[in-house]
């Protein structure tokens, strides 16, 4: 069975998603100095048999000049998840990001209540 035809169980997919999120904690927003997971910038992660990952993210502001930097950092971090052979990062603006998406850690680090 080749990697493209291998069928993953729901548990295997969830394990890969968990490791993807761990890898995304290494992707730091250059302006805020907080990772994109704790900032709540990742809206959706879909993993498919064969190693394809589609990730929907947003940014703190529309037109952020660092979109390319963050996307490149995501693609580099995904290289640490061996099951993933291809990643498609899709930038979305709905729902609009706001500070309620941030983790407690991010709020404390940025002084937001």
């Amino acid at each position: 069975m080749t990697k493209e035809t291998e069928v993953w169980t729901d548990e295997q997919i969830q394990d890969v998603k968990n490791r993807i999120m761990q890898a995304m904690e290494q992707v730091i927003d250059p302006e805020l100095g907080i990772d994109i997971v704790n900032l709540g910038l990742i809206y959706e992660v879909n993993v498919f048999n064969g190693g394809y990952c589609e990730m929907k993210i947003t940014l703190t502001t529309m037109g952020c000049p660092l979109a390319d930097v963050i996307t490149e950092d995501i693609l580099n971090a995904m290289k640490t998840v061996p099951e993933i052979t291809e990643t498609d990062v899709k930038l979305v603006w709905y729902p609009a990001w706001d500070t309620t998406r941030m983790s407690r850690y991010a709020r404390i680090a940025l002084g937001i209540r």
Side-chain angles (χ1 to χ4, degrees):
M1 187 176 276
T2 67
K3 193 164 194 124
E4 290 77 27
T5 60
E6 181 180 355
V7 177
W8 295 344
T9 65
D10 290 343
E11 292 81 18
Q12 288 171 313
I13 289 173
Q14 189 57 51
D15 178 59
V16 172
K17 282 184 177 182
N18 290 341
R19 286 187 284 114
I20 288 169
M21 293 305 285
Q22 289 172 342
M24 292 304 103
E25 289 177 348
Q26 306 309 308
V27 177
I28 306 298
D29 180 299
E31 289 183 319
L32 299 176
I34 305 288
D35 67 85
I36 64 173
V37 173
N38 280 292
L39 285 174
L41 299 181
I42 300 175
Y43 281 4
E44 190 175 323
V45 175
N46 295 303
V47 176
F48 301 92
N49 291 319
Y52 174 74
C53 176
E54 177 187 81
M55 185 178 301
K56 293 181 182 177
I57 68 162
T58 195
L59 300 172
T60 56
T61 59
M62 197 175 275
C64 174
L66 298 170
D68 290 341
V69 172
I70 292 172
T71 299
E72 189 65 31
D73 289 348
I74 289 170
L75 296 174
N76 285 330
M78 290 298 286
K79 293 175 184 174
T80 67
V81 184
E83 294 86 354
I84 300 301
T85 57
E86 182 183 355
T87 303
D88 188 12
V89 178
K90 296 182 183 278
L91 193 56
V92 297
W93 299 108
Y94 183 82
W97 180 88
D98 63 34
T99 57
T100 62
R101 296 193 55 87
M102 295 169 61
S103 71
R104 183 173 182 269
Y105 162 78
R107 289 171 185 275
I108 291 170
L110 297 174
I112 297 172
R113 293 179 187 236

